[in-house]
């Protein structure tokens, strides 16, 4: 996912160039220290000038790498979000409320920071590793193998500790990711309980959300503690080794001492990079586990079997007769219906909404509008009923060959129901309209004054059939 992106490859290349420039600048300042100890002022000034020039180039390159890393994270997330939405919407077997509710927290709350973290971590790992290796090379040439060996031992110890605890880090990563997702998904029900429930429901909603927060942050704190233990251990060991070399050996000449004094700031930077590398190595396994979870997100979505629907408990009322669900599916499949209005009836839980999804799965050019669907941008100035009317009017304006509406009359008053009912009547003269009603037509306030009983299984609207 990451290393196919050209922006990230560019960032890694710039990071390599930056560390090479920093290593050369470090070598120049070491040579300046040696020249100062030997009294060669001209060489000191030359090496210091080279040091500043190379350091400036390194920091400019670092800024370019940071910009490329940001572009990489943006581009990778956009590709991932598009691919995930494309996979999750490729089949209506994924069309559930739980999947819909989990999509935004996953893409925005999990995928976005994970991909950004992974890109930055890739650059940080390369930067820290190269910084340590190049600095060790400078120390080897400038002050001898003993000090370089002490620093190398810190790097080896850091890697060994991380490898020993690798499985624990990976299991912690998966646990944290699941707990974070549960916490984010829990915000919406907490809002509903607090906003629309009783005081007791409000309190319980906050308590449940607090428990999920504690669950997540407890795992996060345990991981950070483990990470810092791993990061500090190599620094402690290498620092004690360097102090021992300084105090209990006679390795240092005036030239080596001058170079070491010049390199002391770089020594502290190396210790910081060893600390950073230890933390980054532990995070590497964490991020790898999270990236694997990103790749497997769609496989874990809820799904239902589109072709095993129990259709016996529902029926379809047409203008002239009642249709069996399988019969209507067959007629739609062979393009035997081009217009008309049909109402799907059945008890709660009989499969009416699932039947509409099965039709949409079969007819890709159909449009399905259900109570949770919105094709328009949110408009807080509109009431629920007004938004519903606007959604239906927008759906009709798209002129699909087949329009399906699931409980379109829920939350609509009589006037709006009459308005939409007439629009659907007119639309059914040139397209197929299939609907599931919240109330049966004869029970709805929109129809009590204009509907009169017709034949069994049908109704008349103003003295004529509702569907031409």
């Amino acid at each position: 996912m990451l290393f196919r992106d050209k922006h990230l490859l560019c960032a890694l290349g710039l990071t390599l160039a930056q560390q090479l420039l920093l290593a050369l600048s470090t070598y120049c300042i070491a040579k300046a220290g040696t020249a100062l100890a030997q009294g060669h002022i001209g060489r000191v000034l030359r090496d210091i000038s080279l040091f500043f020039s190379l350091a400036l180039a390194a920091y400019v390159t670092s800024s370019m790498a940071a910009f490329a890393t940001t572009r990489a994270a943006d581009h990778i997330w956009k590709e991932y979000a598009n691919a995930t939405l494309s996979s999750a919407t490729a089949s209506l077997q994924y069309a559930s409320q739980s999947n819909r509710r989990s999509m935004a927290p996953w893409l925005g709350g999990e995928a976005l920071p994970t991909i950004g973290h992974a890109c930055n971590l890739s650059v940080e790992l390369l930067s820290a590793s190269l910084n340590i290796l190049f600095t060790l090379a400078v120390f080897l040439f400038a002050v001898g193998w003993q000090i370089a060996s002490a620093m190398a031992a810190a790097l080896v110890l850091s890697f060994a500790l991380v490898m020993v605890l690798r499985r624990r880090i990976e299991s912690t990563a998966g646990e944290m990711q699941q707990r974070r997702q549960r916490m984010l998904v829990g915000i919406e029900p907490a809002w509903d309980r607090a906003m629309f429930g009783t005081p007791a429901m409000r309190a319980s909603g906050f308590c449940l959300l607090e428990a999920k927060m504690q669950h997540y942050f407890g795992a996060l704190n345990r991981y950070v503690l483990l990470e810092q233990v791993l990061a500090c251990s190599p620094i402690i060991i290498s620092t004690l080794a360097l102090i021992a070399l300084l105090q209990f050996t006679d390795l240092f000449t005036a030239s080596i001492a001058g170079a070491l004094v010049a390199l002391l700031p770089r020594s502290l930077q190396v210790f910081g990079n060893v600390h950073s590398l230890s933390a980054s190595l532990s995070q590497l396994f964490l991020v790898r586990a999270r990236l694997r979870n990103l790749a497997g997100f769609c496989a874990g979505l809820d799904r239902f079997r589109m072709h095993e629907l129990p259709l016996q408990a529902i029926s379809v009322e047409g203008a002239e007769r009642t249709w069996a669900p399988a019969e209507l599916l067959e007629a739609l499949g062979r393009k035997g219906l081009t217009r008309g209005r049909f109402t799907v009836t059945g008890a709660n839980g009989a499969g009416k909404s699932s039947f509409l999804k099965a039709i949409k799965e079969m007819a890709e050019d159909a449009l399905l509008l259900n109570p949770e669907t919105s094709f328009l941008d949110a408009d807080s100035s509109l009431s629920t009923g007004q938004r519903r009317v606007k959604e239906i009017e927008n759906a009709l304006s798209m002129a699909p060959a087949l329009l399906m509406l699931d409980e379109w009359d829920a939350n609509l008053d009589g006037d709006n129901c009459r308005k939409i009912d007439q629009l659907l009547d007119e639309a059914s003269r040139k397209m197929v309209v299939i609907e599931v009603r919240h109330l049966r037509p004869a029970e709805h306030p929109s129809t009590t004054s204009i509907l009169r009983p017709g034949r069994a299984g049908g109704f008349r609207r103003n003295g004529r059939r509702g569907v031409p």
Side-chain angles (χ1 to χ4, degrees):
M1 179 190 298
L2 297 182
F3 298 107
R4 294 190 300 268
D5 186 82
K6 63 180 181 180
H7 301 295
L8 184 58
L9 294 176
C10 177
L12 295 174
L14 289 168
T15 300
L16 172 61
Q18 176 216 5
Q19 291 304 322
L20 280 171
L21 291 167
L22 282 177
L24 290 173
S25 69
T26 301
Y27 184 73
C28 287
I29 201 64
K31 297 298 289 182
T34 300
L36 182 63
Q38 297 173 348
H40 300 298
I41 301 301
R43 284 169 50 194
V44 171
L45 296 177
R46 182 198 65 190
D47 290 335
I48 289 177
S49 297
L50 284 173
F51 164 78
F52 280 116
S53 299
L54 291 167
L56 175 62
Y59 286 115
V60 171
T61 307
S62 175
S63 296
M64 295 168 63
F67 178 70
T69 304
T70 300
R71 291 197 65 185
D74 294 345
H75 184 254
I76 293 169
W77 180 81
K78 285 189 288 188
E79 286 197 336
Y80 173 78
N82 288 331
T84 300
L85 286 170
S86 179
S87 297
T89 56
S91 171
L92 268 78
Q93 64 180 329
Y94 297 115
S96 70
Q97 273 297 95
S98 62
N99 290 342
R100 182 174 179 266
R101 289 194 182 103
S102 67
M103 188 61 66
W106 181 261
L107 292 178
E110 183 58 39
L112 184 60
T114 295
I115 290 172
H117 187 194
C119 290
N120 287 317
L121 182 64
S122 300
V123 173
E124 289 169 6
L125 273 171
L126 181 64
S127 178
S129 300
L130 293 176
N131 184 278
I132 293 169
L133 291 174
F134 290 160
T135 303
L136 289 177
V138 171
F139 270 73
L140 178 64
F141 289 112
V143 297
W145 65 269
Q146 293 89 346
I147 294 178
S149 298
M151 294 184 173
L155 182 63
V156 172
L157 177 62
S158 172
F159 183 75
L161 284 173
V162 171
M163 293 306 296
V164 168
L165 296 172
R166 173 182 175 179
R167 293 195 179 277
R168 182 173 177 183
I169 293 170
E170 289 182 336
S171 65
T172 302
E175 180 185 7
M176 286 170 55
Q177 203 167 28
Q178 293 171 4
R179 292 183 180 186
R180 178 189 175 118
Q181 178 71 358
R182 286 196 291 267
M183 178 185 71
L184 293 174
V185 172
I187 293 175
E188 184 176 333
W191 167 279
D192 291 339
R193 284 171 176 261
M195 185 66 71
F196 305 112
T198 64
M201 291 174 66
R202 177 185 177 89
S204 68
F206 284 127
C207 285
L208 289 172
L209 183 58
E210 176 68 20
K212 292 177 180 178
M213 290 179 176
Q214 292 292 345
H215 208 216
Y216 166 66
F217 288 115
L220 178 62
N221 291 335
R222 287 191 294 274
Y223 168 74
V224 172
L225 180 61
L226 174 63
E227 177 187 76
Q228 292 307 311
V229 169
L230 290 174
C232 288
S233 298
I235 302 300
I236 294 171
I237 293 173
S238 60
T239 302
L240 293 175
L242 283 176
I243 292 174
L245 285 173
L246 290 171
Q247 294 295 324
F248 303 110
T249 66
D250 52 358
L251 299 173
F252 299 99
T253 64
S255 296
I256 291 177
L260 184 60
V261 169
L263 290 174
L264 282 178
R266 184 70 170 186
S267 303
L268 296 176
Q269 186 182 22
V270 169
F271 288 148
N273 281 327
V274 171
H275 182 281
S276 174
L277 182 62
S278 300
S280 296
L281 285 173
S282 64
Q283 290 179 28
L284 174 64
F285 299 112
L286 173 73
V287 170
R288 284 178 59 188
R290 291 174 68 178
L291 288 174
R292 284 197 297 270
N293 290 339
L294 291 187
F297 173 70
C298 288
L301 291 173
D302 295 337
R303 66 181 68 185
F304 67 95
R305 300 181 183 277
M306 297 293 300
H307 305 294
E308 298 179 10
L309 296 175
L311 303 177
Q312 299 84 355
I314 63 176
S315 61
V316 183
E317 305 291 342
E320 303 295 337
R321 65 185 181 91
T322 299
W323 295 65
E327 184 184 11
L328 183 64
L329 282 172
E330 181 184 358
L332 292 171
R334 57 182 170 80
K335 307 294 184 182
L337 289 175
T338 57
R339 62 190 182 91
R341 187 173 179 183
F342 304 86
T343 302
V344 182
T345 62
N348 289 339
K352 301 186 296 295
S353 297
S354 298
F355 178 58
L356 296 185
K357 292 176 183 177
I359 297 174
K360 178 67 178 79
E361 183 81 358
M362 180 186 67
E364 292 186 355
D365 58 346
L367 192 155
L368 171 58
L369 185 63
N370 58 41
E372 297 82 25
T373 304
S374 179
F375 301 128
L376 301 173
D377 293 335
D379 187 347
S380 59
S381 66
L382 300 177
S383 68
T384 301
Q386 289 172 327
R387 282 198 300 272
R388 199 76 197 135
V389 171
K390 193 172 181 180
E391 286 283 359
I392 295 172
E393 290 176 338
N394 177 66
L396 290 171
S397 70
M398 297 179 186
L402 171 57
L403 175 64
M404 294 178 288
L405 303 103
D406 191 358
E407 296 197 355
W408 62 264
D409 53 348
N411 300 319
L412 292 185
D413 58 20
D415 289 339
N416 279 317
C417 276
R418 280 191 291 273
K419 177 181 178 181
I420 297 300
D421 198 52
Q422 291 170 2
L423 288 174
L424 294 178
D425 255 353
E426 295 172 5
S428 67
R429 301 178 189 278
K430 52 189 175 182
M431 69 175 67
V432 176
V433 177
I434 303 175
E435 59 188 333
V436 172
R437 301 292 293 267
H438 183 66
L439 295 174
R440 294 184 65 83
E443 300 170 345
H444 205 287
S446 69
T447 59
T448 52
S449 62
I450 62 173
L451 295 183
R452 296 194 296 275
R455 293 185 301 178
F459 57 90
R460 294 184 181 277
R461 188 177 282 105
N462 289 336
R464 59 177 177 83
R465 287 287 172 190
V467 181

